[in-house]
Amino acid sequence: MSPVDITAAALEHLESMSTLHPDLSEPYQNLVGLYQRKLWHQLTIGSLEFVSNPSTTLRTTAEGTNSYLALFDKVILPIDKKLNQLTLARIASSVAFSLLDDPPYKDGVAARAILENLLEKRDRLGPSAALHAESRLGLLGLTVLARSGEALTTESSIKALEATKESITKNRSVLAELADTESEAAVVHSAFYETAMTYRKAVGPPEAYYREAIQYVAYTSLSDLSKEERYNLATDLSLAALTGEGVFNFGEVVTAPALQCLEGTDLYYLVELLSAGARGDVLGFQRVADAHAAAIQIQPSLVSRADAVKEKITLLALVNMVFERPSLERTLSFEDIADRVVVPLDQVEWVIMRALSLKLIKGTMDQVEQTVDVTWVMPRVLDNKQMSELATRFGEWAVKVSKTKDYMLEHTGALINQ
């Protein structure tokens, strides 16, 4: 088609949709105006905003087809070379996902075709847009698989999951080369980690899910997620932190805004468990667990890994005990440790050895004297109370330094003259 024909077809489609759906006349007429004035950047942004709100803007055409797909085919694709390529990939993704809720396309074939056809132009897309499109294609496949209800052990499911894993592995190195300072970086990172997070939610283990999810939260605005999505994310993230092997930085989760959506819900006890764990409060953790025993029993991951969770809280109690001590007072007696972490005295040595082996602390243990001298403790995210305690400690340290300086200034002359 000639440029004139392309323009005429695009404007005709936008005008017809404006007439067909009067309540959407304003946004469609806005796109008409931008197209006529050849304001491609503004047209791209306007189109992305339009297809990002399916609850209000997704309709059908006069022929009964998906309105987003018609917009993409008749307006966006004919001028795709003139558009920002990452925004183009984002539009394509929104269109593709809108098809999954349309009965004729719920198998995902047409949705996949949109992104696969776009990726055939990889060289023009550039690394950011291509990575975004590939990530969303992987998420699309996982979504279709989840909605199908097919067991993950079937041959087709295994094949689909393996393909997604290979894509994630390949794209992780590409992601590492993208500069975080780029204005578009957050969008690409968010898309990648959402796919990686969803994959790990399907296949596990929880610690792997946690690593991907905490990155997703860092690059994603919660306002972009629905209430249900925020609730599910907060629940899954909390459970992964509690049960994931090697996940001890509870403060990183507790301070995440994502967990706020659990407040006032029947799952808020997860936040209370995490908060108690972050403080190393063994008795507080047990009180919350006892108060919500029935709710915990219907969480398979908490039930199956109950012993591992208990061990984790015990170790966090030791970590916090060390942190609460001044750096020059970190020789701990076994008896004090037993009281703080709430274990029998004869199990303290095992707790210390376990903490040392996991590199939660560094130091030396004296089995004869029944003490441990700790020289280093695991860095982690602190809550407001812990930050306040740390600030107080810094203040005390500053006073000591100042007194030492004054002493040295006062006695330096005398020392030199001796």
Side-chain angles (χ1 to χ4, degrees), residues 143-162:
T143 303
V144 171
L145 181 60
R147 292 186 181 185
S148 71
E150 185 177 346
L152 300 183
T153 53
T154 65
E155 184 177 350
S156 59
S157 294
I158 293 173
K159 184 178 180 180
L161 291 170
E162 188 59 35

Side-chain angles (χ1 to χ4, degrees), residues 238-265:
S238 299
L239 290 171
L242 286 166
T243 63
E245 184 177 346
V247 180
F248 291 96
N249 197 350
F250 282 10
E252 187 176 35
V253 192
V254 172
T255 57
L259 263 64
Q260 293 177 2
C261 69
L262 291 181
E263 189 170 352
T265 72

Side-chain angles (χ1 to χ4, degrees), residues 249-323:
N249 197 350
F250 282 10
E252 187 176 35
V253 192
V254 172
T255 57
L259 263 64
Q260 293 177 2
C261 69
L262 291 181
E263 189 170 352
T265 72
D266 57 354
L267 288 178
Y268 188 68
Y269 73 87
L270 293 174
V271 180
E272 295 178 313
L273 290 174
L274 286 167
S275 297
R279 298 191 304 269
D281 184 357
V282 176
L283 296 179
F285 186 93
Q286 191 58 51
R287 281 194 296 271
V288 175
D290 291 342
H292 299 275
I296 289 174
Q297 286 300 313
I298 62 175
Q299 294 291 344
S301 60
L302 290 179
V303 174
S304 63
R305 307 195 73 166
D307 291 340
V309 174
K310 183 179 179 180
E311 176 189 300
K312 184 181 293 190
I313 302 306
T314 300
L315 293 171
L316 283 172
L318 176 59
V319 168
N320 276 273
M321 180 183 182
V322 175
F323 173 78

Side-chain angles (χ1 to χ4, degrees), residues 248 276-282 310-325 330-334 336-343 347-357 360-362 365 371-374 376-378 380:
F248 291 96
R279 298 191 304 269
D281 184 357
V282 176
K310 183 179 179 180
E311 176 189 300
K312 184 181 293 190
I313 302 306
T314 300
L315 293 171
L316 283 172
L318 176 59
V319 168
N320 276 273
M321 180 183 182
V322 175
F323 173 78
E324 291 162 4
R325 296 287 188 94
R330 289 185 173 174
T331 298
L332 313 177
S333 71
F334 281 20
D336 286 345
I337 294 174
D339 290 340
R340 180 66 169 79
V341 306
V342 195
V343 297
Q347 293 183 20
V348 170
E349 184 177 333
W350 179 89
V351 172
I352 296 171
M353 293 296 292
R354 184 66 173 150
L356 288 168
S357 67
L360 301 180
I361 60 173
K362 293 180 182 179
M365 182 169 56
T371 61
V372 59
D373 183 24
V374 182
W376 177 89
V377 64
M378 171 192 74
R380 65 205 189 285

